[in-house]
Amino acid sequence: MKNCLPIKGTDYVEFYVGNAKQAAHYYQSAFGFQPVAYAGLETGLKDRVSYVLRQDKVTIVLTGALKPDSPVAEHHKLHGDGVKVIAMWVDDVQKSFHETTSNGAKPYKEPYTIKDENGEVKLAGIYTYGETVHMFVERDAYKGDFLPGFIKWEPEYQPNDTGLLYVDHIVGNVGWGEMDKVADFYRNVFGFDQLISFDDKDISTEYTALKSKVMANDNLRIKFPINEPAKGLMRSQIEEFLDFYIGPGPQHVAIATDDIIKTIADLRERGVDFLNVPDSYYNDVLDRVGAIEEDIEVLKKYKILIDRDDKGYLLQLFTKPVEDRPTFFFEIIQRKGAESFGKGNFKALFEAIEREQRNRGTL
Ligand code: FE2
């Protein structure tokens, strides 16, 4: 991957939401994100407000519209709450924009520079699947908390964090027959390589199926699994997503922790809803994954899933959708050597999602 664009990691993930103020409270109280910065009417914005929250290396931005003709309002009307921007931290915005657009990416924002007393940040953006965009962020010459134009946000209410550390991967759901096209986009535009692919034989239950390809950059800080639906007896969770998001979009952000039992216990205590895992999952899981350091009874109590590949094992769990539509959710993951994505859990997981779909009448 000689020609892979240098990317240092995920800079931030921006959600367009119906009520940024209330969403910010949810991410503070339920997930333990810490308040960082704010922009809105008080800082000169006319059509939107943004709250910036952070936990270790994970920065999220929650943006809501102030006016019905704001692009944020239009996006929200169509898609509901969801991820609009997956921002990448780069050394050179000009070069990142020039290379990706020369390789065929559609421009979203031409390179520009913003400044305040803390220095300057260079930014540019391109489109990826659906209406989702990648912003490039060059911030070596900036000492502030987030971006110029934002002010410190210091509410009195500051619950503790929950041990979330960094973005492990971000999954995109795309339409029928589009997975290869989007995988090729990341290969041709960014120079990403394909880590793994799963077909419908790997990812299917009695009723539903999907296909997936995982695209990654050279230092593996950016990992984008791309899903598309596959034919099954019933409607797959990817079709349900596409129907409610009205097109392709980010399906989940996986956030890493180094103590998943503590993190999940904490998140559950704070009211985060997770997918239900049947007790029967734990009857034979150790036969599949072999010896692990954790007490299986504790994992069963918190319904944490386990999988193993040739490099080690991983522990993971998925939240239910975090907004009204059955679209975006989070994954919490702890890697103990494993570099894969929990293929061994797909069946148990999808059966759990099918139960949810059945309740929603969308299976
Ligand atoms: Fe995942």
Side-chain angles (χ1 to χ4, degrees):
M1 284 202 292
K2 277 198 297 289
N3 300 319
C4 192
L5 192 72
I7 302 169
K8 292 149 97 171
T10 307
D11 195 277
Y12 65 89
V13 177
E14 182 171 12
F15 297 79
Y16 281 2
V17 298
N19 187 330
K21 186 172 191 165
Q22 289 189 3
H25 186 278
Y26 172 71
Y27 282 100
Q28 277 191 280
S29 59
F31 285 88
F33 280 91
Q34 303 298 308
V36 173
Y38 166 85
L41 290 170
E42 296 83 347
T43 66
L45 293 184
K46 300 284 186 242
D47 78 328
R48 65 184 67 190
V49 297
S50 292
Y51 291 84
V52 181
L53 300 98
R54 184 171 292 143
Q55 194 161 172
D56 209 297
K57 293 191 177 65
V58 189
T59 302
I60 61 169
V61 182
L62 302 162
T63 296
L66 290 169
K67 298 277 172 60
D69 57 353
S70 160
V72 178
E74 281 163 23
H75 195 279
H76 185 262
K77 181 181 178 188
L78 191 60
H79 302 294
D81 287 10
V83 172
K84 172 65 180 178
V85 181
I86 299 168
M88 297 168 172
W89 179 30
V90 299
D91 279 325
D92 189 335
V93 156
Q94 190 71 41
K95 188 163 164 275
S96 303
F97 181 80
H98 178 74
E99 278 192 17
T100 51
T101 51
S102 310
N103 291 339
K106 182 180 153 198
Y108 171 65
K109 290 218 161 100
E110 296 281 329
Y112 62 102
T113 304
I114 44 177
K115 298 177 187 185
D116 66 11
E117 67 278 9
N118 290 310
E120 64 172 48
V121 176
K122 293 191 174 120
L123 294 154
I126 59 167
Y127 280 95
T128 175
Y129 48 82
E131 288 200 285
T132 317
V133 303
H134 290 306
M135 291 295 292
F136 299 117
V137 186
E138 179 185 331
R139 52 168 70 258
D140 301 1
Y142 193 63
K143 289 193 208 61
D145 291 320
F146 182 56
L147 292 177
F150 283 77
I151 53 171
K152 260 196 195 322
W153 174 41
E154 299 175 289
E156 275 181 36
Y157 179 65
Q158 298 199 3
N160 292 333
D161 70 55
T162 59
L164 301 178
L165 297 174
Y166 59 88
V167 172
D168 186 275
H169 59 275
I170 301 179
V171 178
N173 281 346
V174 302
W176 292 94
E178 287 185 353
M179 175 185 69
D180 285 328
K181 232 168 58 191
V182 176
D184 285 345
F185 169 88
Y186 283 108
R187 186 178 290 113
N188 299 332
V189 166
F190 284 92
F192 286 6
D193 230 349
Q194 186 177 320
L195 273 189
I196 320 173
S197 81
F198 306 103
D199 64 18
D200 39 348
K201 282 168 213 71
D202 296 316
I203 318 183
S204 67
T205 66
E206 196 182 341
Y207 298 115
T208 67
L210 65 83
K211 298 183 195 174
S212 190
K213 276 188 175 175
V214 182
M215 304 305 292
N217 78 327
D218 52 358
N219 61 19
L220 299 181
R221 300 236 179 115
I222 302 287
K223 286 174 279 187
F224 291 154
I226 307 296
N227 295 335
E228 75 170 48
K231 279 257 175 292
L233 286 174
M234 305 268 202
R235 212 158 66 126
S236 96
Q237 51 166 310
I238 311 303
E239 285 177 271
E240 185 194 36
F241 178 101
L242 296 167
D243 285 351
F244 281 91
Y245 198 72
I246 322 294
Q251 178 210 41
H252 73 267
V253 172
I255 307 181
T257 167
D258 58 13
D259 188 349
I260 197 166
I261 292 171
K262 189 162 175 291
T263 296
I264 297 290
D266 203 357
L267 293 171
R268 285 188 181 281
E269 172 80 27
R270 291 160 181 245
V272 176
D273 277 335
F274 290 94
L275 270 190
N276 194 28
V277 180
D279 283 346
S280 58
Y281 172 88
Y282 296 91
N283 294 346
D284 51 8
V285 67
L286 291 182
D287 299 338
R288 176 165 63 80
V289 302
I292 54 169
E293 289 169 10
E294 292 74 14
D295 180 347
I296 191 73
E297 289 304 319
V298 176
L299 297 180
K300 183 177 174 181
K301 177 181 171 195
Y302 293 113
K303 299 187 183 297
I304 294 165
L305 301 164
I306 315 142
D307 197 26
R308 183 182 287 279
D309 62 20
D310 52 353
K311 303 267 171 51
Y313 68 99
L314 63 80
L315 303 160
Q316 65 185 166
L317 190 53
F318 301 81
T319 72
K320 290 185 181 177
V322 291
E323 60 287 303
D324 298 330
R325 301 189 195 189
T327 50
F328 178 85
F329 58 88
F330 286 98
E331 172 182 349
I332 310 298
I333 184 168
Q334 181 177 7
R335 294 186 179 278
K336 297 199 135 181
E339 292 174 1
S340 51
F341 297 84
K343 175 178 152 181
N345 288 321
F346 288 163
K347 193 160 190 288
L349 186 65
F350 294 167
E351 284 170 353
I353 293 174
E354 284 167 16
R355 284 191 292 276
E356 301 283 324
Q357 282 182 269
R358 199 168 281 120
N359 286 336
R360 293 193 282 259
T362 59
L363 188 62

